[in-house]
Amino acid sequence: AQTVTQSQPEMSVQEAETVTLSCTYDTSESNYYLFWYKQPPSRQMILVIRQEAYKQQNATENRFSVNFQKAAKSFSLKISDSQLGDTAMYFCAFMGNDMRFGAGTRLTVKP
Amino acid sequence: DTGVSQNPRHKITKRGQNVTFRCDPISEHNRLYWYRQTLGQGPEFLTYFQNEAQLEKSRLLSDRFSAERPKGSFSTLEIQRTEQGDSAMYLCASSSTGSTNEKLFFGSGTQLSVL
């Protein structure tokens, strides 16, 4: 089965600065997708960004971008110009035959 | 597109009682997932369906848990003889395999409290 590891239980960043959240995964599958989901206090899971494993180009969505290193099985999320509304739990997820999540990183954006 | 709907939003029950949750996925989605999440933790995979077929079930899932998706549309998750350790948020998600933009859409969850 796939495993997803997020080694940073908590992180904080000053408003307007940049922060990077780490994620590594383990799989024997060749075709898969990777995701970052955000979960604010409402506990609704919100998709932040998506990456297809077959694409070498890193995905970007406005202030959010990823650094996908397939050989290293690494998938980090960079948040630029952090905003107070970015405060949430962030989960890295792997989709192959099924979908698995990491344990999450609690991000706090400080004013 | 009305999104993924879960009912009830909250359920309080006494230990030993049976509970059933319902999930209505996005109508054209063929995959449906169930996850369990406790506070401060990531969603823990329970099971998933492709159409009406249950393709995988977590080994962490005891025999007290059962899920169905009889017509490949809505799904139910039943927990028999509930225990206090079953208290958690139960999340349902759906997706459409084969699409060029496959991703999971989540419902708002059912919060279970076992007293």
Side-chain angles (χ1 to χ4, degrees):
Chain A
Q2 294 77 237
T3 58
V4 180
T5 302
Q6 293 179 249
S7 59
Q8 305 152 315
E10 295 189 20
M11 293 195 71
S12 64
V13 62
Q14 292 295 134
E15 193 175 8
E17 294 189 348
T18 295
V19 64
T20 298
L21 309 183
S22 301
C23 173
T24 58
Y25 59 95
D26 187 25
T27 184
S28 58
E29 297 183 40
S30 57
N31 295 320
Y32 53 88
Y33 303 93
L34 295 162
F35 303 83
W36 280 96
Y37 277 85
K38 168 184 176 181
Q39 190 177 45
S42 68
R43 302 192 75 181
Q44 178 68 49
M45 295 285 278
I46 301 166
L47 177 66
V48 174
I49 198 164
R50 176 181 183 272
Q51 173 81 43
E52 292 94 335
Y54 63 86
K55 288 188 177 180
Q56 292 185 335
Q57 186 175 4
N58 289 324
T60 62
E61 286 287 342
N62 301 313
R63 299 182 295 107
F64 299 89
S65 62
V66 298
N67 183 4
F68 174 46
Q69 301 290 327
K70 190 172 184 179
K73 295 180 181 175
S74 170
F75 183 62
S76 61
L77 174 69
K78 184 172 80 171
I79 306 174
S80 304
D81 185 26
S82 297
Q83 300 176 0
L84 296 178
D86 295 334
T87 293
M89 285 288 289
Y90 286 81
F91 295 101
C92 178
F94 173 102
M95 176 185 274
N97 290 327
D98 59 25
M99 187 148 176
R100 307 285 173 142
F101 287 80
T105 296
R106 182 178 301 281
L107 177 67
T108 301
V109 180
K110 298 180 179 178
Chain B
D1 180 358
T2 57
V4 179
S5 177
Q6 290 189 247
N7 287 289
R9 291 293 305 274
H10 303 274
K11 179 69 176 179
I12 300 173
T13 190
K14 292 183 179 179
R15 188 176 55 185
Q17 298 294 306
N18 298 344
V19 294
T20 299
F21 311 140
R22 177 178 170 124
C23 173
D24 288 89
I26 294 172
S27 59
E28 65 269 22
H29 284 184
N30 57 350
R31 278 205 177 179
L32 187 148
Y33 297 78
W34 285 100
Y35 292 87
R36 176 172 62 190
Q37 187 181 28
T38 53
L39 208 58
Q41 300 297 315
E44 176 187 29
F45 172 79
L46 295 179
T47 188
Y48 86 95
F49 293 83
Q50 182 150 317
N51 300 312
E52 66 275 11
Q54 188 173 18
L55 296 187
E56 189 173 348
K57 185 176 177 179
S58 169
R59 286 172 292 177
L60 300 173
L61 217 58
S62 76
D63 291 342
R64 297 185 297 106
F65 288 72
S66 62
E68 293 183 342
R69 194 183 183 199
K71 296 182 180 179
S73 56
F74 73 91
S75 176
T76 57
L77 177 68
E78 180 182 18
I79 309 174
Q80 296 181 326
R81 304 181 303 281
T82 52
E83 302 172 357
Q84 288 184 329
D86 297 331
S87 295
M89 174 76 84
Y90 289 83
L91 293 168
C92 176
S94 70
S95 71
S96 178
T97 55
S99 73
T100 57
N101 192 26
E102 184 173 1
K103 56 192 173 189
L104 252 60
F105 293 82
F106 280 85
S108 299
T110 294
Q111 180 66 51
L112 174 66
S113 297
V114 181
L115 305 179

